[in-house]
Amino acid sequence: YRQVLTQMLDQRVSDYLEVMHKKLKIPNGMEWCMSCFIAWYAIHFFPRRYLDIGAARGCSVPMVLGACTVTECNIIESWDAKNSGPFPDASILSDLLHQIGFRGYLRFVMGDPSTSFNRLQVSLPSPMFFDLAVFRSDLFKDKKEIVRQLHHILNCLSAKGALLFCCRSKALF
């Protein structure tokens, strides 16, 4: 674990994390570890298409889009009142992205999370693929739905793409 983090935290990534952690006020813990991977991947692989499921619950969107300011970003989120994340609604996230210099394409797919991925797929004119996908399982109600959604995402992941899966509930797995 430490060796992986040491390799991921080269000087460029460390400097970027320091700046973004101050801007985003990310606490240590799970979100910080995710930020390390996401920053490393964004800086070294520059994803052209990015999918974030459950974006309101973490800081991955500004972390990726601060490093890759022209990436196509697709966000699936319900924006429900029970969300305890740093972005209680889409406008707060959009404002932050503007402040960090994001100039790429941003698409929000809101509503029922169990149908959101299919709605996104139908709305895109070309075959859908992602270079980076972040999946937060707490957006979904049960293990069966989580596995179904993961299957859809894996089918759309590019050959050198990365999937970061986050699950806060040990009861699910």
Side-chain angles (χ1 to χ4, degrees), residues 147-158:
V147 170
R148 189 174 76 80
Q149 295 295 327
L150 280 170
H151 180 73
H152 290 311
I153 293 166
L154 289 171
N155 284 332
C156 295
L157 205 58
S158 66

Side-chain angles (χ1 to χ4, degrees), residues 75-148:
I75 295 173
I76 293 176
E77 181 57 76
S78 63
W79 304 105
D80 62 10
K82 296 178 279 184
N83 172 25
S84 61
F87 305 109
D89 67 51
S91 65
I92 293 172
L93 180 55
S94 294
D95 289 346
L96 177 63
L97 295 178
H98 177 73
Q99 291 171 20
I100 62 173
F102 177 66
R103 300 178 315 277
Y105 181 78
L106 181 62
R107 177 191 309 260
F108 289 103
V109 181
M110 300 180 212
D112 181 4
S114 65
T115 63
S116 295
F117 191 83
N118 290 338
R119 287 184 282 126
L120 174 63
Q121 197 164 24
V122 168
S123 71
L124 293 176
S126 60
M128 189 164 63
F129 74 90
F130 301 103
D131 299 311
L132 175 61
V134 174
F135 183 95
R136 288 180 187 80
S137 65
D138 34 342
L139 193 61
F140 301 96
K141 295 179 178 145
D142 59 36
K143 183 178 179 179
K144 185 177 178 180
E145 183 61 29
I146 292 168
V147 170
R148 189 174 76 80

Side-chain angles (χ1 to χ4, degrees), residues 32-46:
W32 189 88
C33 290
M34 287 175 50
S35 297
C36 291
F37 169 77
I38 289 168
W40 170 79
Y41 189 87
I43 288 170
H44 290 285
F45 295 96
F46 197 81

Side-chain angles (χ1 to χ4, degrees), residues 30-83:
M30 187 167 111
E31 196 65 39
W32 189 88
C33 290
M34 287 175 50
S35 297
C36 291
F37 169 77
I38 289 168
W40 170 79
Y41 189 87
I43 288 170
H44 290 285
F45 295 96
F46 197 81
R48 290 183 307 148
R49 284 192 179 167
Y50 168 50
L51 172 67
D52 197 299
I53 298 178
R57 292 153 174 76
C59 296
S60 54
V61 171
M63 190 64 67
V64 170
L65 301 182
C68 306
T69 59
V70 294
T71 294
E72 177 185 317
C73 178
N74 297 277
I75 295 173
I76 293 176
E77 181 57 76
S78 63
W79 304 105
D80 62 10
K82 296 178 279 184
N83 172 25

